[in-house]
Amino acid sequence: MTSAIVLGGSRGIGKAIADSLKSIDIDVFAASKNDIDTSDLNSVRKFLENHTQTDILVLNTGGPVPKLFSTITEEDWKLYHNQLFLGFCTILQNIKINDGGYIFLISSNVIKEPNMKLIISSAYRAAFSEVFKVLSKEYAQNDISCINIAPGPINTDRTKELIGNIKEFEKSLPMKRLGDPKEIGNFVKGIIENKVKYLSGVTINFDGANSNYIF
């Protein structure tokens, strides 16, 4: 039976992906922060002792609270360096993805449109996206596809924390609504269910036409 590990799989986008994969009879381990906290490298190492291989890996984690650059502390940098960058690197160095598998990175639209209040997220998510892009060539040799999904405004608790008046904000969006996490879940399911393999090393902007960049 095909297996999947979904980090951050107990809520939001991660849960939507986990639920979608379960619907096509994939054996999903939806890991919560209690199972693995990527900001704590000891937690990451402990997790990897019990989870050594999988067919599908979804790298997903929450982000930092909004802070202006002048207010960011050294501890903030260290914490999110681990959570958004080094924790993921450690996982990829120590977990085997079976041949023909998939790795999905759930990053953020800030990797292409940096946000001055989300500068930590902008920096470290972009940095890991570069690593992920380079590694996609190595994984391709074993028919493992790597897809970076960069969500824009999605209807999650995280978005509600970042945006005060959701109803007013929705009016400013091209589709006049937030994205549904299930849409990302169904996208991931569709890629796997239809055995789409050649779409690898790419970043998918999942933002309802809200971004201004072309590539």
Side-chain angles (χ1 to χ4, degrees):
M1 188 176 190
T2 302
S3 64
I5 295 173
V6 181
L7 304 188
S10 63
R11 57 185 289 198
I13 293 172
K15 185 178 186 303
I17 293 173
D19 289 345
S20 288
L21 296 186
K22 289 175 184 176
S23 74
I24 52 174
D25 294 327
I26 290 175
D27 181 19
V28 180
F29 182 79
S32 70
K33 193 172 183 179
N34 291 329
D35 298 305
I36 178 172
D37 179 355
T38 56
S39 69
D40 180 350
L41 296 184
N42 288 326
S43 172
V44 172
R45 294 186 189 101
K46 184 177 179 180
F47 181 84
L48 291 168
E49 289 176 2
N50 300 311
H51 302 277
T52 58
Q53 68 177 14
T54 188
D55 298 300
I56 301 160
L57 176 64
V58 179
L59 297 169
N60 174 51
T61 186
V65 297
K67 280 191 172 185
L68 294 176
F69 182 75
S70 59
T71 67
I72 299 172
T73 67
E74 183 177 346
E75 289 306 310
D76 289 330
W77 287 115
K78 290 177 179 177
L79 176 70
Y80 292 107
H81 169 73
N82 286 351
Q83 181 172 325
L84 301 174
F85 182 79
L86 187 54
F88 283 168
C89 289
T90 302
I91 291 168
L92 289 183
Q93 285 178 323
N94 291 278
I95 193 168
K96 173 179 170 54
I97 309 301
N98 296 326
D99 291 0
Y102 293 87
I103 308 174
F104 294 91
L105 170 63
I106 309 303
S107 58
S108 169
N109 65 339
V110 298
I111 66 174
K112 292 200 172 186
E113 289 190 355
N115 185 316
M116 66 182 298
K117 290 184 179 180
L118 295 175
I119 192 167
I120 302 176
S121 183
S122 300
Y124 287 127
R125 290 193 190 277
F128 185 73
S129 291
E130 291 291 338
V131 172
F132 193 63
K133 171 64 176 177
V134 172
L135 290 179
S136 68
K137 298 181 182 298
E138 182 178 328
Y139 281 114
Q141 297 173 34
N142 294 313
D143 198 30
I144 297 168
S145 298
C146 298
I147 300 174
N148 183 349
I149 299 174
I154 306 295
N155 189 12
T156 63
D157 292 340
R158 168 72 171 166
T159 299
K160 293 171 184 175
E161 290 168 2
L162 296 175
I163 299 169
N165 191 326
I166 293 292
K167 291 299 182 184
E168 283 301 312
F169 177 69
E170 286 182 319
K171 294 177 183 177
S172 70
L173 299 175
M175 292 188 178
K176 308 302 179 186
R177 67 175 178 87
L178 298 176
D180 190 326
K182 291 181 181 179
E183 294 177 274
I184 296 180
N186 287 334
F187 173 76
V188 172
K189 178 177 73 172
I191 292 292
I192 295 167
E193 193 173 29
N194 291 290
K195 296 180 173 60
V196 178
K197 298 300 303 177
Y198 212 64
L199 184 71
S200 189
V202 299
T203 298
I204 304 295
N205 306 316
F206 220 100
D207 63 5
N210 190 49
S211 56
N212 295 314
Y213 48 83
I214 298 174
F215 300 108

